[in-house]
């Protein structure tokens, strides 16, 4: 249970400035079916987070407490680098003719595979006794952000002050990752 809230908060903050809600907003506008696109994105992110949760379940028992803390520090630094990097436009998937659900599911799954949200899910799942709470927390947060993006549409989503948010959050993640990493390596 201790992984539910941290995974939710981390995923919520990371997804606000990510490309997958932007893609969800694009597809919701294109198909005019925001609920369908949001549900497809939920299932896509849920599948990716489940993969990360299984990874955490497998590696958690073999990691020492310091190694688990270092894994979380690396996740923070990885997230910081992603946040401080310029956010590129997602492919609009205009040539995909699979319908609203399949286009959203496959597009979001491919776009989000291996992103920082899944890395946090892996790190939180490896730390806890119940890794599925990390999966549930991260997936719920992503659903909140993607549903908001689908309902807002691309034009309104792009008006959000994402650039400044990404810089501030990236610097906070970098500082937190450095402190956790130094502590895990017994440097602090």
């Amino acid at each position: 249970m201790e992984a539910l809230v941290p995974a939710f908060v981390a995923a919520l903050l990371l997804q606000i400035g990510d490309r997958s809600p932007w893609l969800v907003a694009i597809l919701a506008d294109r198909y005019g079916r925001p609920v369908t696109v949001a549900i497809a994105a939920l299932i896509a992110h849920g599948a990716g987070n489940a993969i990360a949760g299984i990874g955490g379940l497998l590696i958690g028992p073999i990691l020492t407490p310091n190694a688990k803390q270092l894994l979380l520090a690396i996740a923070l630094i990885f997230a910081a680098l992603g946040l401080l990097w310029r956010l590129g436009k997602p492919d609009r998937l205009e040539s995909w003719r699979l319908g609203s659900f399949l286009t959203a599911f496959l597009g979001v799954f491919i776009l989000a595979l291996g992103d920082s949200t899944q890395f946090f899910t892996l790190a939180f799942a490896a730390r806890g006794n119940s890794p599925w709470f990390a999966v549930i927390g991260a997936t719920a947060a992503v659903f909140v952000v993607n549903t908001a993006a689908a309902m807002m549409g691309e034009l309104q989503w792009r008006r959000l002050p994402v650039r400044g948010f990404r810089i501030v959050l990236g610097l906070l993640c970098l500082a937190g990752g450095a402190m956790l990493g130094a502590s895990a390596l017994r440097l602090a």
Side-chain angles (χ1 to χ4, degrees), residues 13-35:
L13 293 173
L14 290 171
Q15 283 300 306
I16 290 171
D18 201 17
R19 293 187 318 159
S20 62
W22 188 358
L23 177 61
V24 167
I26 290 168
L27 295 175
D29 282 352
R30 181 167 114 196
Y31 289 108
R33 301 184 73 187
V35 174

Side-chain angles (χ1 to χ4, degrees), residues 88-165:
K89 295 179 182 178
D91 186 335
R92 301 182 78 79
L93 309 179
E94 291 171 340
S95 63
W96 291 29
R97 303 285 180 232
L98 302 173
S100 60
F101 185 85
L102 276 178
T103 300
F105 172 76
L106 292 173
V108 170
F109 183 80
I110 292 166
L111 182 65
L113 194 61
D115 74 355
S116 53
T117 301
Q118 291 174 2
F119 200 178
F120 270 107
T121 303
L122 171 78
F124 288 130
R127 291 175 62 100
N129 296 332
S130 295
W132 299 114
F133 283 113
V135 173
I136 292 166
T139 304
V142 170
F143 182 63
V144 169
V145 174
N146 283 335
T147 301
M151 296 303 174
M152 290 171 72
E154 183 182 14
L155 205 55
Q156 288 181 323
W157 184 258
R158 294 294 297 145
R159 287 186 184 147
L160 295 176
V162 173
R163 177 86 173 121
F165 176 79

